[in-house]
Amino acid sequence: MKIIIDTREQAPFTFRHERMGATTEPGTLAVGDYSLAGLEDRVAVERKSLPDLVMCLGRERERFERELARGAALDAFAVVCEGSWLELSRGEYRSRLNPHAACQSVLAFAGRYRLPFLFAGSRSAAEYMTWGFLRQYLEGARKRWKAIAEAQGAA
């Protein structure tokens, strides 16, 4: 599994854990921070630290919403937050953004764009979730392609 890391990603994951069995390559992604080689137009993950997410729910909201709209056009897209839902809901961040408003914004975006927001609670868990999300998409795609090939072979 080759993971493409957007060249603009400021704190990229390494995906070096032996269980992951992934290689990485820098690239320019139209949407998200991580994708799969050859499937950049199908799947992506947007990584957010908690402070970055809060900024995207406040003063960077319009830009973030455009990113979500682009992500919703893919087969699969997720926002993976290194922070926890509890930290967001308690306002454990440096911003004047009301915690209730922050939580409601996340829920509104998830519903409006039909996208998961995965709150990992730590950087290492966010890396694992990103890898797992991409891996599950790849496995599902392989099964779909196999079924299509078998159906075409039977025809």
Side-chain angles (χ1 to χ4, degrees):
M1 182 166 103
K2 185 182 285 186
I3 298 173
I4 305 300
I5 302 173
D6 189 78
T7 55
R8 296 162 292 200
E9 174 68 336
Q10 294 181 2
F13 295 141
T14 62
F15 302 102
R16 295 287 181 239
H17 191 282
E18 63 188 43
R19 188 179 312 148
M20 293 181 181
T23 59
T24 61
E25 180 179 299
T28 302
L29 298 175
V31 63
D33 297 313
Y34 301 93
S35 187
L36 294 168
L39 297 170
E40 296 92 341
D41 61 341
R42 304 258 179 188
V43 61
V45 171
E46 176 72 18
R47 180 198 63 83
K48 294 289 180 201
S49 65
L50 186 60
D52 190 22
L53 177 63
V54 170
M55 189 169 37
C56 288
L57 299 174
R59 63 185 159 135
E60 297 282 326
R61 187 179 188 92
E62 287 181 23
R63 182 198 57 78
F64 186 54
E65 201 158 355
R66 288 191 302 271
E67 177 90 358
L68 295 177
R70 287 191 304 273
L74 302 180
D75 290 345
F77 182 82
V79 177
V80 175
C81 181
E82 294 177 0
S84 72
W85 180 262
L86 189 59
E87 289 170 319
L88 183 69
S89 69
R90 287 182 175 171
E92 295 176 13
Y93 48 79
R94 296 179 78 160
S95 172
R96 293 184 181 180
L97 183 63
N98 178 287
H100 175 71
C103 291
Q104 288 300 304
S105 289
V106 167
L107 296 171
F109 286 153
R112 184 176 305 143
Y113 296 102
R114 299 178 325 276
L115 301 171
F117 279 71
L118 306 173
F119 286 84
S122 72
R123 181 169 169 81
S124 61
E127 180 178 26
Y128 181 82
M129 285 182 164
T130 299
W131 168 80
F133 184 84
L134 295 171
R135 180 178 172 272
Q136 292 302 323
Y137 178 82
L138 184 59
E139 289 301 315
R142 286 179 178 155
K143 289 178 184 175
R144 288 188 300 275
W145 294 329
K146 181 179 178 186
I148 290 168
E150 289 173 355
Q152 289 176 344

